[in-house]
Amino acid sequence: MSDSRPKNHSARDVLRELFPESYRELFGESGADGPLTLGLYPVADGRLALVHGDQLAEFTPLDPKGRNALHCDLCHYTRSRSEAALYRVVVGARRTRYVTLCLGTEACQKRAGSHALAHLADRIFPLEPMYVD
């Protein structure tokens, strides 16, 4: 059975995650406040968001082609086309990565564990700036 209790976050936690520069200006460095957020979350239109601290990457699903099974890059299970999808992640101005993930995001993360999720984040981050200032 899964734990469906809502997670309580303080305003300070939200500020630290979403606006890290403002947080540092108001409260100083955040070294001892706890671990960074790390997770893969479903977003609208079948997209996924990978969050690692103050970094965010958007995974866009590609149209399914073919009928071969797919191997999930996170939990390393082989899934049918109805259970997994291929995603595109733009990591730079001319760099794109392709990742295969299970459609059941929460169950996939539980199977994989935090170490595998951190490894996936290491493959994606840091994102390069898209435009030159």
Side-chain angles (χ1 to χ4, degrees), residues 40-104:
L40 192 60
Y41 304 99
V43 189
D45 303 330
R47 291 177 289 155
L48 296 173
L50 178 63
V51 178
H52 187 237
D54 60 349
Q55 302 178 92
L56 173 71
E58 184 177 298
F59 292 64
T60 306
L62 300 176
D63 291 330
K65 294 187 177 160
R67 37 177 221 249
N68 295 337
L70 297 171
H71 182 80
C72 179
D73 290 324
L74 183 58
C75 69
H76 298 288
Y77 278 54
T78 301
R79 299 285 183 196
S80 69
R81 287 279 177 169
S82 63
E83 298 173 315
L86 186 64
Y87 293 88
R88 177 185 10 231
V89 184
V90 178
V91 295
R94 291 185 167 180
R95 291 185 50 215
T96 303
R97 293 203 187 268
Y98 294 91
V99 180
T100 304
L101 297 169
C102 296
L103 294 176

Side-chain angles (χ1 to χ4, degrees), residues 7-20 22-24 26-27 33:
K7 296 178 181 174
N8 296 324
H9 298 284
S10 69
R12 191 172 177 162
D13 293 336
V14 173
L15 184 64
R16 182 181 69 234
E17 292 296 327
L18 298 178
F19 305 102
S22 298
Y23 180 86
R24 282 190 275 281
L26 293 172
F27 302 107
D33 286 339

